Amino acid sequence: MTIEIELKFIATPQAAGKLADLVAAWPHQHQPARELTNIYFETDDNQLRRWDMGLRIRGVDKRYEMTLKAAGKTLGGLHQRPEYNVDLSEPTLDIAQLPADIWPQGTDIAALQSRLQPLFTTHFQRETWLITIGDSEIELAFDQGDVTAGDLSEPLCEIELELKRGERKDILAIARQLVAQGGLRMGSLSKAARGYQLAQGNPPRQLRPFPLLKAGTKATVEEGMVAAMSAGLSHWQYHEEVWLRGNAAAQDAVREALDVLRQAFSLFGALVPRKASSALRQQLTTLEETLVNDEVDATSFCLSSLAVETQLALTHWLVESQWQQWVDVKGQAKLQGSFKRFGDIMLSRINADLRETFSTVKQPNEYRDKATRLSRQLLAVHLLAGAYPQEDVAVWLAPWQQLLSAIHEQQEAGLAWLTTQALKQPPFWLTSGSAR
């Protein structure tokens, strides 16, 4: 087993054409383009997908390799997954050659083998450069081809950076220089994810509401902060893909994701000094201001240097825990405290703020002035309330969300009544004084 650490980018053909000149700045070994074919296997009920696994056979130069990728972590475009590789003499699937302990307990390997069938394929040319930077070796691969399932296919034009040896910070350093050339965006969707989508008939990707954050019952404040920002980044990248594929309504979801990230920085601002994130917060603010215009072009926004550099910078900030250099001993102790207790305290403060804000509001224009504040506080509740039953949180949120919708839709007659209903809601969380 190895732990594969990769950064993936979707590239325009123009950006891909600049690769050779850019790589020339580093010591490297070049390998000309080779034809690669991958066959991905799955059961008829997507059992591997439900286990968050991917299984393929790769063929190149009449040599074959079976690879299983197990559940891992994806942050921004950085993918970290356990990977198991087995050389094969012919392109015939034989999962008995994989380690038996990688499967969930009780798996009948022979029965699973009998259910696995080819689901989709990828065909592409791969050109690679093995780059030396510091004490690290990083493989830069340019893939151009297509992914196909039945009669459906879509083109591939990707750049992947894989850390072969050394430090993650070096792969991120190369990524920053690539992004600075323009024409790239971070690729949160793997080839396999796109193949599964095609195999299902390529239905349009749907908009997703921002979910309640589930950070784990024993999560620390620091782990909750990372989970919150990771969730915001994931929400952004998912809806960026939906927007680029033609759904204009996804622009609002991208704006919401930026709001989530800004609200996360605000929530944890008392624990992480503002100077640790000032550049990131300014980038997010500028991007959000850009999206105020409903005529923003998806391609121009999503491939803009600012959008891509912000995603990469946030990924770097999270992966390398860059806030640590700004946190003193007292702050460190707070970051290692209970995220649930922190959430209870912050929920009480949000509740108090909403009560103070809306208890005296009377005029429609006053409601409109408070709408952005209300929206951000409700997003904060989504980041903090995951330790409680979803139905309890939904009951508390419902009248506030109805009030926000009524403000946006200028339903002036019902604003006072909705405010009264929202203010009546008892807390679903432990109050700050009794939090344990």
Side-chain angles (χ1 to χ4, degrees), residues 85-277:
N85 298 296
V86 177
D87 289 330
L88 299 174
S89 58
E90 57 186 27
T92 302
L93 192 67
D94 183 7
I95 63 172
Q97 295 193 48
L98 292 163
D101 60 1
I102 67 175
W103 305 106
Q105 188 171 8
T107 299
D108 185 329
I109 295 173
L112 178 61
Q113 167 87 38
S114 69
R115 296 169 56 211
L116 290 166
Q117 298 293 329
L119 184 65
F120 58 89
T121 61
T122 60
H123 305 273
F124 53 91
Q125 286 196 328
R126 167 167 287 187
E127 185 175 6
T128 62
W129 296 262
L130 186 62
I131 299 170
T132 301
I133 176 172
D135 294 325
S136 300
E137 284 189 346
I138 294 153
E139 183 182 79
L140 188 157
F142 170 52
D143 296 341
Q144 191 165 25
D146 57 68
V147 54
T148 301
D151 296 330
L152 298 175
S153 68
E154 68 174 53
L156 297 173
C157 189
E158 297 182 343
I159 294 170
E160 293 184 1
L161 295 171
E162 182 176 354
L163 184 64
K164 294 295 189 181
R165 175 176 62 83
E167 303 293 329
R168 282 182 308 203
K169 62 181 178 63
D170 292 325
I171 198 173
L172 290 159
I174 289 181
R176 282 197 300 273
Q177 296 196 44
L178 288 177
V179 164
Q181 303 302 307
L184 301 182
R185 62 184 178 90
M186 297 190 76
S188 58
L189 285 181
S190 65
K191 295 181 181 70
R194 279 177 277 176
Y196 273 99
Q197 185 78 5
L198 291 174
Q200 294 166 5
N202 203 23
R205 290 170 171 81
Q206 301 299 309
L207 299 183
R208 295 174 179 171
F210 188 75
L212 286 182
L213 177 69
K214 300 291 185 182
T217 55
K218 296 185 178 181
T220 64
V221 175
E222 186 172 44
E223 289 169 340
M225 178 180 72
V226 171
M229 294 181 181
S230 301
L233 184 54
S234 176
H235 197 63
W236 178 0
Q237 291 189 316
Y238 173 81
H239 288 99
E240 176 181 272
E241 189 76 33
V242 176
W243 190 16
L244 285 164
R245 289 172 182 263
N247 187 339
Q251 178 180 336
D252 285 337
V254 170
R255 186 189 298 117
E256 180 182 55
L258 297 174
D259 252 347
V260 168
L261 290 166
R262 290 183 62 203
Q263 194 63 21
F265 276 115
S266 177
L267 283 173
F268 297 95
L271 304 179
V272 175
R274 292 179 65 82
K275 57 189 174 183
S277 61

Side-chain angles (χ1 to χ4, degrees), residues 20-81:
D21 290 340
L22 184 61
V23 173
W26 296 292
H28 67 274
Q29 301 170 32
H30 176 244
Q31 185 172 75
R34 297 186 297 170
E35 293 278 350
L36 274 70
T37 297
N38 297 284
I39 305 171
Y40 288 79
F41 294 84
E42 184 55 279
T43 65
D44 57 3
D45 61 353
N46 286 345
Q47 179 63 75
L48 296 184
R49 190 70 166 166
R50 287 187 281 117
W51 286 337
D52 197 13
M53 291 180 168
L55 179 65
R56 74 177 184 218
I57 291 178
R58 168 169 290 173
V60 56
D61 298 336
K62 296 185 179 180
R63 297 177 61 186
Y64 305 98
E65 182 181 64
M66 177 173 59
T67 296
L68 184 132
K69 294 187 180 185
K73 297 188 296 182
T74 298
L75 179 57
L78 185 73
H79 302 251
Q80 300 179 82
R81 302 187 72 177

Side-chain angles (χ1 to χ4, degrees), residues 9-24:
F9 296 92
I10 309 299
T12 64
Q14 293 80 5
K18 300 175 183 177
L19 273 180
D21 290 340
L22 184 61
V23 173

Side-chain angles (χ1 to χ4, degrees), residues 189-384:
L189 285 181
S190 65
K191 295 181 181 70
R194 279 177 277 176
Y196 273 99
Q197 185 78 5
L198 291 174
Q200 294 166 5
N202 203 23
R205 290 170 171 81
Q206 301 299 309
L207 299 183
R208 295 174 179 171
F210 188 75
L212 286 182
L213 177 69
K214 300 291 185 182
T217 55
K218 296 185 178 181
T220 64
V221 175
E222 186 172 44
E223 289 169 340
M225 178 180 72
V226 171
M229 294 181 181
S230 301
L233 184 54
S234 176
H235 197 63
W236 178 0
Q237 291 189 316
Y238 173 81
H239 288 99
E240 176 181 272
E241 189 76 33
V242 176
W243 190 16
L244 285 164
R245 289 172 182 263
N247 187 339
Q251 178 180 336
D252 285 337
V254 170
R255 186 189 298 117
E256 180 182 55
L258 297 174
D259 252 347
V260 168
L261 290 166
R262 290 183 62 203
Q263 194 63 21
F265 276 115
S266 177
L267 283 173
F268 297 95
L271 304 179
V272 175
R274 292 179 65 82
K275 57 189 174 183
S277 61
S278 56
L280 267 172
R281 285 184 287 104
Q282 182 55 55
Q283 288 173 303
L284 290 167
T285 299
T286 304
L287 285 169
E288 199 166 6
E289 289 170 350
T290 303
L291 287 177
V292 170
N293 181 0
D294 289 336
E295 302 303 318
V296 175
D297 175 70
T299 300
S300 298
F301 179 87
C302 297
L303 270 79
S304 69
S305 296
L306 182 58
V308 183
E309 287 170 5
T310 302
Q311 289 188 7
L312 183 60
L314 183 57
T315 300
H316 193 176
W317 199 80
L318 292 169
V319 167
E320 295 296 314
S321 303
Q322 288 186 319
W323 59 87
Q324 288 285 357
Q325 59 187 303
W326 303 96
V327 179
D328 59 19
V329 174
K330 184 181 292 186
Q332 193 63 252
K334 291 179 179 178
L335 284 173
Q336 296 311 307
S338 163
F339 178 59
K340 183 178 181 300
R341 176 179 170 79
F342 173 84
D344 289 339
I345 294 170
M346 297 306 292
L347 286 166
S348 292
R349 291 180 182 175
I350 289 168
N351 189 47
D353 177 78
L354 290 175
R355 296 182 71 83
E356 181 180 351
T357 299
F358 285 94
S359 59
T360 59
V361 172
K362 303 294 183 186
Q363 302 301 319
N365 65 307
E366 293 180 289
Y367 279 101
R368 288 193 293 272
D369 291 343
K370 306 298 184 185
T372 298
R373 186 182 193 88
L374 174 57
S375 176
R376 288 178 177 165
Q377 294 288 43
L378 297 185
L379 286 175
V381 172
H382 281 78
L383 295 174
L384 296 165

